[in-house]
Amino acid sequence: MKRRKRITPFAIWKQATQRDGRRYAVDHPIPGDEQPLTFIQSLWYYYYIGKVQQIPNERYAACANAFLEGYCTQLGMEKPEGVLIPTLKSLAAVITVFNEEGTIGNVLAELRRFPMKEIIVVVNGTTDNSFAIARQNTLATIVHYPGSVGHDVGRSIGAKLTTADMVLFLDGDIPIKAEQLVPFIRAMDRGVDVALNDMTPFIGQFARRDGVTMMKEFLNTIQDRPDLKSNSMTAIPHMLSRKAIEQIGVAHLAVPPKAQSLAIKLGLNICAPASVDVITVNKVTQLNTGTSNPVANLILGDHLEAMHMLIKSHSSRLGFEDPIRKRSALAEGLTWI
């Protein structure tokens, strides 16, 4: 006797989403002057809010794709190459590029799958074909610096040029699938101001972590945000709301730990909604390998700058009390000698 294939609850949910996509196509066909993906995106968002808003991040892409398939099948049209996102807010991306000719094309190709308002590519110090490849993307605005300005300054420059409601920050050497970026967009739509990459699954036990990772966790902890662990704006991908960019100030984005400390101080909504492994795919260079390498020293210095700012605005002990030690006794004792 042939066994019947068991249908999971999620499969049933996915089938229902596809049927609803068909129904939406009947009720809301694409107007002649509308770009198909943009129009379907707006329909999906209202469907998402009403029906599937609580779906887990790991199942979001399958449901959104089922809706898109159902809609396009009903109208007998080819399914657009794109990812429906859970927001009606405008989306921008800032990408810093330094000799990334082998990867920048893939980074931009993934972003083209989103309904982007702006893509800012900051090409700096490049001696390969990165600039020419970036220029092939007609949606991108290219900012070119003949000399190197660094990733962080590049992000600050890019942020200054954006006008979108939410801004995604990426590096030109690490292509990330559009589906992996959706949880960050989802968090932004729900009111988060700073969405960080949750690196916790990739860094191992505390005793085996490097000094930079420990410093990141220390800075979050002394600001009463141990929940953020070692997650930091030094890592991509991360996203900022327009509110965060304006309140933190684009100049402070050039020192990510300082910008994050300001975000905490300002009471902005900060979380780490998803984990993207950017460690194993990170390009190994002479600058980021070995003990006390230049990149590690730069990041440690950035954290010291952030702590200096906090000490200036709080106290020499960052607000931590000293209830036991009576320092005045030392001065009193010296008068007896």
Side-chain angles (χ1 to χ4, degrees):
M1 182 177 177
K2 189 175 180 180
R3 296 179 63 183
R4 297 180 64 182
K5 186 177 179 181
R6 181 174 177 269
I7 301 177
T8 65
F10 178 67
I12 296 172
W13 193 0
K14 187 177 173 182
Q15 291 171 2
T17 304
Q18 193 170 48
R19 286 196 301 270
D20 288 339
R22 287 175 171 272
R23 179 172 58 82
Y24 267 68
V26 173
D27 296 339
H28 307 282
I30 301 173
D33 58 343
E34 287 280 354
Q35 200 277 336
L37 188 61
T38 303
F39 183 76
I40 301 171
Q41 164 65 45
S42 62
L43 297 178
W44 161 253
Y45 179 72
Y46 290 113
Y47 175 79
Y48 160 79
I49 291 296
K51 287 285 189 74
V52 295
Q53 190 175 10
Q54 301 306 318
I55 192 169
N57 281 328
E58 60 270 19
R59 292 181 172 178
Y60 172 89
C63 267
N65 191 58
F67 183 90
L68 185 60
E69 283 182 348
Y71 187 96
C72 294
T73 300
Q74 181 64 37
L75 295 183
M77 59 180 285
E78 184 178 351
K79 185 166 74 72
E81 173 58 28
V83 175
L84 300 177
I85 57 176
T87 188
L88 291 181
K89 296 177 181 178
S90 56
L91 176 63
V94 173
I95 311 165
T96 55
V97 178
F98 173 74
N99 288 340
E100 324 290 7
E101 64 180 3
T103 51
I104 182 58
N106 292 332
V107 173
L108 290 168
E110 286 298 320
L111 288 178
R112 286 181 66 90
R113 299 176 66 203
F114 286 140
M116 303 292 299
K117 178 182 180 182
E118 303 156 333
I119 300 176
I120 311 294
V121 183
V122 183
V123 182
N124 64 104
T126 290
T127 57
D128 65 3
N129 292 320
S130 297
F131 179 61
I133 294 171
R135 289 189 65 186
Q136 294 174 11
N137 189 306
T138 57
L139 295 178
T141 299
I142 315 298
V143 183
H144 180 231
Y145 287 87
S148 176
V149 300
H151 285 307
D152 300 325
V153 172
R155 291 172 194 154
S156 184
I157 292 167
K160 186 175 183 179
L161 296 174
T162 61
T163 61
D165 299 321
M166 56 180 77
V167 182
L168 175 67
F169 294 87
L170 300 169
D171 288 346
D173 62 335
I174 304 179
I176 299 172
K177 297 292 290 184
E179 288 82 357
Q180 291 181 281
L181 298 172
V182 167
F184 299 88
I185 299 171
R186 199 176 186 188
M188 288 276 118
D189 187 73
R190 292 174 171 176
V192 168
D193 296 304
V194 180
L196 305 172
N197 185 6
D198 184 6
M199 303 293 286
T200 308
F202 316 118
I203 58 177
Q205 296 179 348
F206 184 85
R208 297 181 179 179
R209 297 175 190 172
D210 57 49
V212 169
T213 304
M214 291 181 178
M215 181 65 89
K216 291 176 181 178
E217 188 159 356
F218 177 73
L219 186 59
N220 288 330
T221 301
I222 63 176
Q223 291 189 268
D224 294 325
R225 289 302 307 267
D227 58 299
L228 295 177
K229 300 179 181 178
S230 61
N231 300 316
S232 169
M233 286 173 60
T234 60
I236 58 96
H238 64 265
M239 290 195 77
L240 297 178
S241 67
R242 176 56 43 191
K243 174 184 174 183
I245 292 173
E246 291 175 353
Q247 292 196 9
I248 294 171
V250 293
H252 288 129
L253 297 181
V255 184
K258 188 175 181 179
Q260 184 161 322
S261 291
L262 281 169
I264 295 173
K265 183 179 177 182
L266 291 166
L268 297 177
N269 191 340
I270 308 171
C271 75
S275 298
V276 179
D277 184 3
V278 294
I279 296 178
T280 57
V281 296
N282 191 28
K283 184 169 63 176
V284 177
T285 70
Q286 292 181 342
L287 297 176
N288 63 10
T289 54
T291 305
S292 298
N293 63 75
V295 171
N297 287 338
L298 171 69
I299 297 174
L300 288 171
D302 287 348
H303 283 76
L304 292 174
E305 188 173 338
M307 283 189 281
H308 178 67
M309 176 194 69
L310 293 174
I311 288 171
K312 286 176 63 178
S313 62
H314 289 81
S315 68
S316 60
R317 293 179 59 86
L318 294 173
F320 288 89
E321 296 181 359
D322 186 7
I324 300 174
R325 188 185 297 114
K326 188 176 180 182
R327 303 186 193 205
S328 60
L330 177 61
E332 294 169 359
L334 289 175
T335 61
W336 301 337
I337 298 174

